[in-house]
Amino acid sequence: MDNPKNSQFFPDNYDRNTLGLKKKLVRKYNVKDDFSALDISKNAYIIYDWLSERKVENPNASSVYFFDYAAQTLGIPYQLLTESYFTQTQLTEEDLFKHSTKFNAKLNEMNRTKSTSSKIEIPNFNEKIEEYFSQKQISELLKQLLIPGTNLSKSNLKRYNLNWLLSDIIKIVWKNITVNSSSEEQETLKQYFRKYFYKDKQEYSEQFLALTKNKLATLIEKEEVQKLEPDSELLKLLSQENINTDSLNRYIKQKRSSLTSLSFYKQFLVHLSHAFYLSPQNIFLLTGQLPTYSVVKTPLEWKYCEQEINQNAQ
């Protein structure tokens, strides 16, 4: 057995579970003299000489395996042994026991307490950003983001002040994830937070930008591009045998007032681009009957374009 004699801290059966590792070393390197994990550790500062005395081939390379065996057997950090060698400082049994997670009960208790108190679950930042958007009134958010004087082309993110949005998300997410955390936990959370939101030189990370832009583009499309249905009121007015022009004019005036709505105004501009030579009144009348129309031409114009109208076209 690999038992240190007269060991103050390590019991006689401390290496029972690592006996197989020792047998492998003896077999691989033909070691004749008996040795223990404690022997290796105490002689770590002169490990090449110690191995050479036992006629171990290639002491330089084999030292790694002997150190590994000693570290596993005693429950000490591998680095402790390499530091002993590089600094030429001999380790005492007290030093080894102090760092042993296998035999030092106080160290085990300290590690358990430390790991329990410092265990922080990595926040799901994608989820937090989704929460941000779900809690905001989207129409109000888009209104705040809109840069005055920009055009209304579909999903054009340049017309929105994204910097305002990004900084607002960061502030709110940080506030939400740290609301119940201690100052020590906040230091750890900062590392996760910076890694997700920022890259070098405090620029926004691509992951954060991609998620936010995709989310915003979807919201813009939902908010502004609405599926318009034919206007039942207009269809009723036009279906009469004698059309009431006063009622029709009232309808047009009503539609004009709806241009103050961002979504309706955008749709009106789209329709205007399809039939720019029509008057606004005619566009209202046409849109009310068929909101999904794309191109308006006279039969003669279609002929000149060498295009035909589908038989079932409206």
Side-chain angles (χ1 to χ4, degrees):
M1 291 291 289
D2 179 13
N3 296 329
K5 295 179 180 178
N6 303 319
S7 171
Q8 181 182 354
F9 299 106
F10 301 98
D12 289 345
N13 63 344
Y14 77 96
D15 61 341
R16 181 178 295 165
N17 295 328
T18 52
L19 184 59
L21 292 175
K22 180 177 180 180
K23 284 182 176 178
K24 286 181 181 178
L25 289 177
V26 171
R27 205 164 41 242
K28 184 174 182 178
Y29 295 106
N30 293 317
V31 185
K32 305 298 180 187
D33 297 340
D34 192 27
F35 64 90
S36 69
L38 198 56
D39 288 336
I40 297 170
S41 303
K42 284 182 175 180
N43 291 284
Y45 73 110
I46 51 167
I47 188 65
Y48 293 170
D49 294 338
W50 186 85
L51 290 172
S52 297
E53 286 175 12
R54 283 152 184 77
K55 298 182 171 51
V56 174
E57 292 181 9
N58 196 353
N60 187 13
S62 58
S63 65
V64 173
Y65 297 98
F66 280 86
F67 276 176
D68 189 47
Y69 162 71
Q72 286 188 56
T73 304
L74 300 182
I76 58 175
Y78 180 91
Q79 290 79 359
L80 186 66
L81 303 176
T82 56
E83 283 175 14
S84 172
Y85 172 75
F86 287 118
T87 60
Q88 290 294 287
T89 305
Q90 185 174 12
L91 292 168
T92 64
E93 191 171 339
E94 289 84 355
D95 296 327
L96 296 167
F97 178 77
K98 181 180 174 183
H99 291 87
S100 173
T101 56
K102 189 176 283 189
F103 301 104
N104 186 350
K106 288 184 179 179
L107 181 63
N108 278 331
E109 186 61 34
M110 286 169 57
N111 285 340
R112 275 197 297 271
T113 306
K114 186 177 179 182
S115 62
T116 302
S117 62
S118 63
K119 187 178 181 182
I120 296 179
E121 188 176 343
I122 301 174
N124 186 334
F125 293 112
N126 284 14
E127 192 176 273
K128 296 295 179 185
I129 294 171
E130 291 284 346
E131 284 177 12
Y132 171 92
F133 281 106
S134 66
Q135 291 166 3
K136 290 278 186 179
Q137 289 293 333
I138 302 306
S139 56
E140 287 301 310
L141 178 63
L142 294 177
K143 203 179 292 181
Q144 289 174 359
L145 291 175
L146 195 62
I147 300 172
T150 52
N151 65 50
L152 293 169
S153 60
K154 181 179 177 182
S155 300
N156 181 6
L157 294 179
K158 290 181 181 178
R159 63 193 153 116
Y160 290 98
N161 187 348
L162 287 185
N163 278 329
W164 182 91
L165 175 71
L166 300 175
S167 62
D168 190 54
I169 291 174
I170 287 173
K171 286 176 192 172
I172 290 176
V173 169
W174 176 249
K175 184 180 176 182
N176 288 344
I177 67 171
T178 57
V179 64
N180 294 318
S181 58
S182 65
S183 56
E184 292 84 2
E185 289 171 335
Q186 284 192 25
E187 287 303 312
T188 307
L189 284 169
K190 278 180 187 175
Q191 296 176 15
Y192 298 131
F193 189 83
R194 289 189 188 122
K195 189 174 181 181
Y196 181 88
F197 285 100
Y198 297 109
K199 54 184 180 181
D200 295 338
K201 299 179 182 177
Q202 294 297 294
E203 294 176 346
Y204 293 125
S205 69
E206 291 178 4
Q207 184 183 8
F208 172 45
L209 285 176
L211 175 66
T212 308
K213 286 183 176 180
N214 287 341
K215 188 70 183 169
L216 186 59
T218 303
L219 292 174
I220 291 170
E221 196 162 338
K222 280 184 181 177
E223 186 72 14
E224 298 182 5
V225 182
Q226 302 173 357
K227 289 184 178 178
L228 298 179
E229 299 293 334
D231 192 316
S232 58
E233 182 187 350
L234 175 62
L235 294 178
K236 187 177 179 181
L237 289 172
L238 295 175
S239 64
Q240 296 174 4
E241 190 171 340
N242 295 314
I243 296 176
N244 187 324
T245 53
D246 289 337
S247 299
L248 208 53
N249 284 330
R250 278 197 299 273
Y251 169 86
I252 292 171
K253 284 181 181 178
Q254 177 192 338
K255 288 302 175 185
R256 276 182 176 171
S257 65
S258 64
L259 287 178
T260 55
S261 161
L262 180 62
S263 59
F264 191 89
Y265 183 56
K266 179 184 175 182
Q267 200 67 41
F268 172 76
L269 293 178
V270 171
H271 288 308
L272 181 62
S273 67
H274 293 157
F276 60 89
Y277 49 83
L278 293 181
S279 66
Q281 287 89 336
N282 281 334
I283 289 178
F284 289 138
L285 292 172
L286 186 57
T287 304
Q289 296 174 76
L290 189 66
T292 55
Y293 79 85
S294 55
V295 181
V296 177
K297 294 178 183 176
T298 65
L300 193 58
E301 286 175 319
W302 284 109
K303 186 178 179 181
Y304 287 150
C305 293
E306 297 183 354
Q307 292 177 308
E308 293 181 356
I309 301 175
N310 294 332
Q311 288 184 355
N312 58 349
Q314 293 178 296

